[in-house]
């Protein structure tokens, strides 16, 4: 890899967590009413993208499998909701 490119990437690389935190920073702490406009915009964008796909009906019917940690997370949340210690 070119040394200049490596330096650029090192200066701009952030963890996935930090990238998500940056994306949601301006929305964090807002009430539900304040988040409707951004949610509406994202949904409209997704609908626009889907409208351009010839297989949009099939695409809407596809489901991604849950993350491998899903079952453990749900069990922990249920235990907390039931008053058990997680």
């Amino acid at each position: 890899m070119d040394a200049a490119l490596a330096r650029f990437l090192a200066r701009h690389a952030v963890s996935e967590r930090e990238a998500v935190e940056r994306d949601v920073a301006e929305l964090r702490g807002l009430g539900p009413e304040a988040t409707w406009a951004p949610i509406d915009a994202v949904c409209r964008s997704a609908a626009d993208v889907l409208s351009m796909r010839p297989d949009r009906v099939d695409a809407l019917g596809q489901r991604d499998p849950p993350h491998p940690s899903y079952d453990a997370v749900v069990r922990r949340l249920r235990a907390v909701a039931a008053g058990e210690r997680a």
Side-chain angles (χ1 to χ4, degrees):
M1 177 184 303
D2 178 63
L5 176 59
R7 286 191 304 274
F8 175 85
L9 292 175
R11 282 194 314 270
H12 293 89
V14 296
S15 68
E16 289 181 23
R17 178 177 285 277
E18 186 176 345
V20 170
E21 287 297 327
R22 288 179 183 179
D23 288 344
V24 302
E26 67 184 61
L27 300 174
R28 191 171 299 285
L30 296 179
E33 301 83 16
T35 61
W36 279 115
I39 290 171
D40 184 60
V42 168
C43 291
R44 287 181 188 278
S45 293
D48 288 344
V49 169
L50 279 169
S51 73
M52 293 181 254
R53 291 182 61 152
D55 66 338
R56 63 185 155 274
V57 173
D58 292 333
L60 285 169
Q62 294 176 1
R63 295 193 59 151
D64 290 335
H67 188 275
S69 67
Y70 175 81
D71 290 332
V73 169
V74 170
R75 279 194 302 277
R76 181 179 55 80
L77 292 172
R78 286 183 178 148
V80 168
E84 300 172 17
R85 190 170 178 156

